[in-house]
Amino acid sequence: MALLRAEHITQRFGGVVAIDDVTLEMNPGEIVGIIGPNGAGKTTYFNVITGMYNPTEGKVLFHDKEITGRKPYEITSLGLARTFQNIRLFANMTVIENVMVGMQCKTSAGVLDGIFHTPKHRKEEKLVEEKAAHYLELTGLLDHKYDYATSLPYGKQRKLEIARAMAAEPEILLLDEPAAGMNGQETEELAEFIHSLKDMGYTILLIEHDMKFVMSLCDNIYVLDHGSLIAQGPPAEIKQNPRVIEAYLGKEE
Ligand SMILES: Nc1ncnc2c1ncn2[C@@H]1O[C@H](COP(=O)(O)OP(=O)(O)OP(=O)(O)O)[C@@H](O)[C@H]1O
């Protein structure tokens, strides 16, 4: 049984067909990539899976249960957490506070507990902080925990977004262009880090333009072009697929 299956997804925006009948499947522990030229429909596909869009047609199944059209926060608490192409950190919060925000969907103390600082609230807050520190340690950001999030260099801000997504304790991490804006060394370190996430048991779906990065990391790749799926398979096959070379890789040379 696939862990995640998005079936026959079509997403129209007025006259624009952003995705045209695309099916994607992921098994536990896989790293799957979605690639394609600008405007191919990659982010829209992410938005459908994570509940930001209710698709025009098709359905999304997680553990064989339909989650199509559920609210983004519900989908996060079910076990799918994402990062964004345009970094979305809280600028006026510290690094650790940004990660603690990512754990909100896992806390049980209510608003009144928070207002009255009940023992339940204090205990939970301590636990949340400890866990947040754990995710910062995993992402190599612990030394920055009291820095403001936006004071970090760009590559570290991207890692902080991943730490925040991890804090939701998902089974699947969805990373939208995690290497965007990183230099060569940062990208290599990120690839190593994503490999280590796989070893920790995460299943990962990522969108990325950096071909070397995608090819070295992914078990399976889906190639979109103008909203249609033009190829799917392991990196070695995708590299040699003439339609992919024409639509995408050819333009990179
Ligand atoms: N909310 C929206 N309303 C109207 N059109 C949209 C919307 N979101 C995306 N589109 C259109 O859908 C198509 C696919 O866009 P999408 O952002 O998913 O592509 P992408 O592959 O992620 O591109 P990029 O690599 O540039 O991020 C584009 O033609 C885009 O203009």
Side-chain angles (χ1 to χ4, degrees), residues 144-247:
H144 296 285
K145 74 177 182 179
Y146 298 126
D147 295 345
Y148 278 105
T150 46
S151 73
L152 296 182
Y154 195 72
K156 289 188 172 169
Q157 289 192 31
R158 286 221 165 267
K159 275 197 156 176
L160 178 52
E161 274 234 320
I162 297 176
R164 185 170 60 180
M166 289 169 77
E169 298 179 350
E171 280 179 79
I172 303 185
L173 274 170
L174 297 100
L175 310 177
D176 194 346
E177 296 200 31
M182 288 189 177
N183 63 34
Q185 196 194 328
E186 285 174 328
T187 304
E188 262 178 43
E189 283 169 15
L190 181 72
E192 263 175 46
F193 174 65
I194 293 176
H195 249 304
S196 73
L197 291 176
K198 179 180 165 137
D199 295 339
M200 286 178 222
Y202 288 96
T203 302
I204 295 162
L205 181 62
L206 57 89
I207 294 173
E208 191 45 68
H209 280 288
D210 185 323
M211 279 305 127
K212 201 171 145 223
F213 183 86
V214 171
M215 296 291 170
S216 69
L217 209 51
C218 294
D219 301 301
N220 201 1
I221 296 174
Y222 287 76
V223 189
L224 298 181
D225 188 24
H226 292 101
S228 298
L229 183 69
I230 59 164
Q232 183 244 312
E237 267 175 36
I238 293 296
K239 262 186 216 166
Q240 293 176 2
N241 183 306
R243 281 189 78 188
V244 178
I245 293 165
E246 187 190 331

Side-chain angles (χ1 to χ4, degrees), residues 41-129:
K42 306 179 294 294
T43 296
T44 304
Y45 209 82
F46 253 43
N47 287 342
V48 167
I49 291 173
T50 54
M52 301 189 72
Y53 296 148
N54 194 0
T56 317
E57 285 166 42
K59 54 186 177 180
V60 184
L61 303 164
F62 179 54
H63 283 289
D64 244 7
K65 273 209 195 121
E66 186 163 358
I67 59 166
T68 329
R70 301 278 287 266
K71 299 266 181 301
Y73 71 86
E74 289 180 292
I75 290 183
T76 306
S77 58
L78 284 172
L80 294 106
R82 71 174 291 177
T83 66
F84 292 88
Q85 190 174 339
N86 305 313
I87 294 176
R88 293 189 180 184
L89 296 170
F90 294 103
N92 55 351
M93 285 188 187
T94 61
V95 164
I96 194 157
E97 284 167 346
N98 267 275
V99 178
M100 288 164 73
V101 168
M103 293 164 82
Q104 246 176 5
C105 68
K106 295 283 170 190
T107 54
S108 65
V111 176
L112 290 177
D113 289 309
I115 292 171
F116 294 112
H117 292 289
T118 62
K120 182 181 180 188
H121 178 258
R122 282 198 299 273
K123 196 172 159 205
E124 198 161 64
E125 203 170 57
K126 190 161 174 281
L127 203 68
V128 163
E129 194 166 341

Side-chain angles (χ1 to χ4, degrees), residues 11-19 44 47 53 56:
Q11 179 72 56
R12 293 192 200 98
F13 298 108
V16 178
V17 185
I19 304 171
T44 304
N47 287 342
Y53 296 148
T56 317

